[in-house]
Amino acid sequence: VVNVFLGCEDPSFYRHHGIALADMLEGVRVTLFTSGWYGGSTITQQLVKNVWLTRERTIRRKALEAVIALYIEWRGLLSKDEILELYLNIAEMGPKIYGIGAAAAYHFGQSAENLTLNQAVILATTMPSPFWRRPVETPVFFEQMRDRKLVVLVATGYMTPDVAKDLLRRYTAETGLDPELRRKKPGA
């Protein structure tokens, strides 16, 4: 489960010191020269945003987020494992569903400790847009995003191509929801 989130959200988490400069520069480039928005945040930066800052999309907030993330890691205020644990326990993984425990209970009716690989991929796919990436309510969009996450997991070495192919077969918007998801009405 941890490797799925690392692979999807911040593959270099244990190698950087709070920020990934190349990703941040790409984020600035995409934001300034296209109509899109690309954050380029590390898990540490996302934790800083979720706990101490707002969600406003400005260069000022992004710069402050980077400075605080560097400070936390360089000063050793939190270990990498503590940062990851806090992040997984407060990140939004569905509309008003905060933390991996709440998301596991909501989507699968079980505790986070019992999540399967497939279930971890489903939860990681809901991020960073938990309102739009909902497997029950937006199955076609969710499927597209899940496929992208699997490509990233294979490319970063967190998953083998064979495992990704097996997970791809489990869920398609055309054939219905993944069998591991709890059955509930859209919007419930």
Side-chain angles (χ1 to χ4, degrees):
V1 172
V2 169
N3 283 340
V4 167
F5 279 91
L6 287 173
C8 290
E9 294 296 311
D10 189 355
S12 62
F13 177 71
Y14 282 102
R15 293 187 307 273
H16 64 63
H17 297 287
I19 64 168
L21 191 55
D23 289 342
M24 284 185 60
L25 293 174
E26 178 65 8
V28 169
R29 186 194 69 75
V30 168
T31 302
L32 292 177
F33 299 110
T34 72
S35 60
W37 175 263
Y38 175 83
S41 295
T42 64
I43 285 175
T44 308
Q45 287 175 273
Q46 292 177 53
L47 178 67
V48 167
K49 176 185 70 179
N50 290 337
V51 174
W52 293 290
L53 300 176
T54 67
R55 292 180 180 255
E56 69 179 329
R57 290 182 168 183
T58 65
I59 299 294
R60 180 186 178 282
R61 198 265 306 151
K62 196 73 171 166
L64 190 56
E65 174 186 291
V67 168
I68 295 170
L70 283 168
Y71 184 78
I72 287 170
E73 291 213 18
W74 281 82
R75 296 289 299 213
L77 300 178
L78 296 169
S79 71
K80 286 287 194 177
D81 291 339
E82 290 170 328
I83 291 167
L84 186 57
E85 181 181 359
L86 284 170
Y87 170 75
L88 288 174
N89 283 311
I90 66 166
E92 189 172 9
M93 297 184 198
K96 299 181 182 176
I97 301 170
Y98 296 94
I100 194 165
Y106 176 80
H107 288 294
F108 310 110
Q110 66 183 34
S111 67
E113 295 84 32
N114 297 321
L115 288 173
T116 66
L117 176 62
N118 182 56
Q119 291 169 338
V121 171
I122 289 170
L123 294 182
T125 300
T126 65
M127 300 167 73
S129 302
F131 183 77
W132 296 108
R133 296 181 181 184
R134 296 183 288 175
V136 174
E137 294 85 353
T138 59
V140 174
F141 184 67
F142 175 82
E143 181 182 359
Q144 294 168 349
M145 295 302 102
R146 187 273 328 261
D147 293 353
R148 289 182 187 174
K149 293 284 187 177
L150 290 174
V151 168
V152 169
L153 288 167
V154 170
T156 56
Y158 281 94
M159 184 178 288
T160 67
D162 289 338
V163 170
K165 285 178 190 173
D166 182 53
L167 293 179
L168 282 171
R169 286 191 289 272
R170 295 182 61 96
Y171 174 101
T172 63
E174 291 78 31
T175 60
L177 298 174
D178 188 291
E180 293 189 42
L181 281 166
R182 286 177 54 193
R183 301 288 182 208
K184 52 188 174 294
K185 295 178 184 174

